[in-house]
Amino acid sequence: MMRHVIASLAVTAAILLAACASAPLHYYTLLPGVPASVADPVTAIPFEVLPVNVPAQVDRPQLVVRQGGQSVALLEGERWIAPLADEVRGALAADLARSLPGRDVGGMAASGKPAAAGEP
């Protein structure tokens, strides 16, 4: 009798724990998986990609996809690894650096080195 009660409790606990399990999250990025080759500093074309504005409708951690002609849906288990505006800006800068060849000097001081905190 006691074995049946313990077995029933164990099965009930397992079912409750399985019901509480959430779907795994998947993270996405727009940046290339392989680091872009660094251009020769002498011949590299310096450029600066300014911050990108993303419409509020899609500026969310979840991926937003179009459904039909007029509606969109949030994919709760699919997330951007960083804010979407940062992803778009980074991907554009990486693509330009690979195509020109060049380098993004956004956030750089006139010397070409990253600006220290408080520097213009």
Side-chain angles (χ1 to χ4, degrees):
M1 175 77 171
M2 191 62 147
R3 285 186 179 168
H4 294 297
V5 172
I6 292 173
S8 295
L9 286 174
V11 169
T12 303
I15 291 172
L16 288 174
L17 287 175
C20 292
S22 60
L25 293 177
H26 299 104
Y27 292 94
Y28 297 89
T29 183
L30 297 176
L31 298 175
V34 178
S37 59
V38 178
D40 178 16
V42 175
T43 61
I45 300 169
F47 63 87
E48 180 179 6
V49 178
L50 298 175
V52 174
N53 291 321
V54 176
Q57 296 88 337
V58 296
D59 192 14
R60 303 176 180 278
Q62 304 91 346
L63 269 65
V64 179
V65 295
R66 183 180 302 264
Q67 284 187 327
Q70 298 289 329
S71 63
V72 295
L74 293 175
L75 301 180
E76 291 296 333
E78 315 298 320
R79 307 281 172 120
W80 293 111
I81 201 162
L84 186 54
D86 294 346
E87 285 288 312
V88 171
R89 186 206 171 281
L92 181 58
D95 193 41
L96 284 171
R98 187 175 47 253
S99 299
L100 287 177
R103 65 185 184 128
D104 185 7
V105 295
M108 300 275 187
S111 66
K113 297 180 181 172
E119 279 186 34

